[in-house]
């Protein structure tokens, strides 16, 4: 049981004050709430308090989103997997700086974009064969339809991965993450006008790379 | 003829600008073709999913992150945000306040340096009324002020506000409660400290 004291002052002023001290016993050491029931802010607080499993749950909730951003940047499962791990590691290290002003997902998204931008600055993305054994058919299409669709999608993903980093980031955030131009500008450290121009040039370059579609 | 700007193209693509609001489009085939090509390209990009990895991958990723995180030192709240820091700040603030109060109550009577120089000739000054006056030493030599400065030097203002040690308007209220002489001395101290 945790004990606290409440102080109450009554009376007009000075020496006439009546001071009442009340001891309050609160069951602060009761059973901690189940992690799954915690909000994102509470989950972050639980991580900072060192509760086991709290950060694992954050990873579990956001791993798909983070992986997909990384995949779109790198067009490679292997790179996306490595980058996703980096993103979460950076997030863990920076968790104490998470202010809670934005949603945790938005914060992680920004870390992911920055991590990807840093990575593409030092490493050209490699394309991955579209029939990679790691991937599964989730759509229930016929084999030929699936093949055609995958081939088309593979061309687009490879084309996106060839774009200059900022154009790529702007296009990915606008097209797949539905981020506003303002958010893109903040993430890239540019003006809103420059963010829009990046989206435009990304589409223009994508059109050139893909040819007539 | 000036063609459409990237900004206008993006607004048209996103539908925040109606084509009818851009008369140039009706006159310029190049811009119409460009818009149409960009629209098709964007649509194609939108329809492109990330391949779904094996279901086992997600647990594998979580396990990798778990291992990597386990090798890291635990993240902690910033020290000023921790519960112990709030309690510590409370005690430190109480100590500072007590020292300040004692120093204030035990202070010698003071006069402004300028007042002292005129030898208490001015009417209505403490010197004129026969009180024994003592000119305070310079601020830098005052031990109590030095102690307060040392205690406060490590305190970050944002942190102090965050833990509720100060309240908005608190300084104004404190100044309002000072006597005229105390305000003069405060002014002198602030001037000496280079704040005013």
């Amino acid at each position: 049981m945790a004990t606290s004291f409440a102080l109450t002052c009554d009376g007009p002023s000075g020496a006439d004050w009546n001071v009442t001290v009340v001891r309050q016993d609160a069951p602060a050491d009761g059973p901690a709430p189940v992690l799954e029931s915690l909000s994102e802010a509470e989950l972050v607080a639980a991580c900072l308090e060192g509760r086991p499993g709290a950060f694992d749950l954050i990873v579990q909730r956001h791993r798909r989103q983070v992986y997909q951003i990384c995949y779109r940047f790198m067009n490679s499962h292997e790179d996306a997997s490595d980058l996703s791990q980096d993103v979460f590691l950076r997030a863990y290290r920076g968790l104490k700086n998470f202010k809670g002003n934005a949603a945790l997902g938005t914060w992680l998204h920004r870390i992911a974009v920055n991590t990807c931008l840093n990575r593409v600055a030092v490493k050209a993305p490699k394309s991955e064969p579209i029939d990679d054994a790691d991937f599964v058919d989730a759509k229930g299409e016929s084999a030929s339809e699936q093949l055609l669709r995958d081939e088309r999608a593979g061309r687009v993903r490879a084309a996106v991965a060839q774009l200059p980093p900022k154009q790529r980031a702007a296009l990915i955030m606008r097209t797949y993450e539905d981020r506003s131009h303002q958010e893109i500008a903040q993430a890239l450290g540019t003006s809103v006008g420059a963010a829009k121009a990046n989206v435009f040039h990304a589409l223009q370059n994508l059109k050139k790379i893909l040819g007539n579609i | 003829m000036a063609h459409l700007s990237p900004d206008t193209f993006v607004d048209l693509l996103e539908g925040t600008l109606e084509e009818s609001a851009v008369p140039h489009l009706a006159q310029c085939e190049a811009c119409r073709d460009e818009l149409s090509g960009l629209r098709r390209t964007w649509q194609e990009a939108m329809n492109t999913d990330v391949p779904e990895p094996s279901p086992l991958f997600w647990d594998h990723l979580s396990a990798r992150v778990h291992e990597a995180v386990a090798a890291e030192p635990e993240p902690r709240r910033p020290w000023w945000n921790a519960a112990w820091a709030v309690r510590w700040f409370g005690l430190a603030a109480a100590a500072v306040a007590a020292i300040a109060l004692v120093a204030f109550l035990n202070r010698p009577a003071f006069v402004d340096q300028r007042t002292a120089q005129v030898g208490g000739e001015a009417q209505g000054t403490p010197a004129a009324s026969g009180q024994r006056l003592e000119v305070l030493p310079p601020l830098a030599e005052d031990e109590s002020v030095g102690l307060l400065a040392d205690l406060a030097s490590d305190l970050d203002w944002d942190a102090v506000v965050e833990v509720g040690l100060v309240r908005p308007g608190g300084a104004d209220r404190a100044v309002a409660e000072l006597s005229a002489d105390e305000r003069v001395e405060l002014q002198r101290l602030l001037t000496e400290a280079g704040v005013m």
Side-chain angles (χ1 to χ4, degrees):
Chain A
M1 295 284 259
T3 302
S4 61
F5 295 94
L7 191 67
T8 315
C9 299
D10 299 314
S13 65
D16 297 330
W17 279 13
N18 299 316
V19 179
T20 310
V21 179
V22 179
R23 180 177 149 161
Q24 299 173 322
D25 292 324
D29 297 324
V34 182
L35 284 175
E36 281 75 10
S37 68
L38 298 181
S39 68
E40 289 193 328
E42 290 167 336
L43 207 48
V44 170
C47 282
L48 295 173
E49 286 159 12
R51 272 190 73 180
F55 192 73
D56 291 338
L57 194 54
I58 288 178
V59 174
Q60 194 184 327
R61 284 181 184 177
H62 296 278
R63 61 194 178 189
R64 181 180 292 273
Q65 176 209 6
V66 167
Y67 171 82
Q68 288 189 341
I69 295 167
C70 297
Y71 191 96
R72 296 222 185 256
F73 262 88
M74 306 307 292
N75 195 33
S76 151
H77 171 70
E78 189 187 324
D79 285 341
S81 177
D82 288 347
L83 271 177
S84 299
Q85 183 182 332
D86 282 358
V87 170
F88 283 116
L89 202 54
R90 283 188 188 201
Y92 183 77
R93 288 173 184 156
L95 208 56
K96 57 185 177 296
N97 301 320
F98 175 66
K99 303 287 185 195
N101 299 332
L104 187 60
T106 307
W107 184 67
L108 284 169
H109 174 272
R110 190 170 295 182
I111 295 174
V113 169
N114 287 332
T115 307
C116 290
L117 283 172
N118 289 342
R119 178 66 65 92
V120 296
V122 295
K123 183 181 179 183
K126 63 179 179 189
S127 287
E128 193 164 69
I130 57 172
D131 57 348
D132 193 299
D134 277 348
F135 302 129
V136 294
D137 172 13
K139 304 267 177 181
E141 295 168 311
S142 73
S144 59
E145 283 172 336
Q146 171 79 34
L147 192 65
L148 214 60
R149 199 175 61 83
D150 279 356
E151 191 182 2
R152 195 81 164 162
R155 282 182 63 209
V156 175
R157 285 194 301 267
V160 169
Q162 287 177 45
L163 296 172
K166 284 202 171 179
Q167 289 180 21
R168 200 185 321 172
L171 184 73
I172 290 170
M173 284 191 270
R174 189 74 193 119
T175 308
Y176 305 110
E177 308 288 326
D178 201 26
R179 303 286 161 177
S180 69
H181 292 293
Q182 179 74 41
E183 288 174 307
I184 296 170
Q186 281 175 353
L188 298 182
T190 60
S191 65
V192 172
K196 274 175 122 174
N198 273 317
V199 172
F200 170 77
H201 291 301
L203 285 172
Q204 217 176 27
N205 285 330
L206 202 59
K207 185 160 77 88
K208 278 183 202 156
I209 296 168
L210 292 171
N212 292 326
I213 54 174
Chain B
M1 179 168 56
H3 291 295
L4 298 182
S5 67
D7 209 65
T8 307
F9 271 118
V10 171
D11 287 343
L12 286 166
L13 286 169
E14 294 182 346
T16 52
L17 189 62
E18 293 287 331
E19 289 187 22
S20 57
V22 186
H24 174 79
L25 265 183
Q27 302 155 15
C28 180
E29 192 179 350
C31 283
R32 277 202 306 277
D33 286 349
E34 178 76 349
L35 181 64
S36 157
L38 291 174
R39 193 166 274 149
R40 280 199 305 274
T41 304
W42 206 10
Q43 195 59 49
E44 184 81 8
M46 280 178 194
N47 292 335
T48 305
D49 292 333
V50 167
E52 182 68 14
S54 151
L56 298 176
F57 166 71
W58 300 116
D59 287 341
H60 178 62
L61 175 63
S62 286
R64 281 178 60 184
V65 173
H66 183 87
E67 275 178 33
V69 160
E72 293 281 314
E74 274 191 21
R76 290 288 180 198
R77 285 187 185 284
W79 61 270
W80 60 82
N81 213 8
W84 64 265
V86 173
R87 285 193 290 273
W88 188 89
F89 263 132
L91 289 172
V96 169
I99 293 168
L101 185 64
V102 169
F104 181 76
L105 292 175
N106 293 331
R107 77 197 192 287
F110 64 84
V111 293
D112 187 290
Q113 298 272 9
R114 290 160 297 176
T115 312
Q117 282 167 4
V118 298
E121 290 167 6
Q123 290 298 312
T125 64
S129 61
Q131 287 181 336
R132 192 177 67 82
L133 296 174
E134 182 181 339
V135 176
L136 284 175
L139 193 60
E141 294 171 18
D142 190 319
E143 286 180 9
S144 57
V145 172
L147 178 60
L148 282 173
D150 285 345
L151 286 169
S153 63
D154 289 336
L155 299 181
D156 175 76
W157 178 253
D158 290 339
V160 169
V161 172
E162 196 172 341
V163 299
L165 293 181
V166 293
R167 290 188 174 78
D172 293 339
R173 281 195 297 277
V175 170
E177 288 169 6
L178 294 178
S179 68
D181 285 343
E182 288 166 344
R183 285 185 197 181
V184 170
E185 178 63 359
L186 177 63
Q187 195 171 15
R188 183 182 75 78
L189 292 172
L190 291 174
T191 305
E192 193 175 312
V195 179
M196 291 182 70

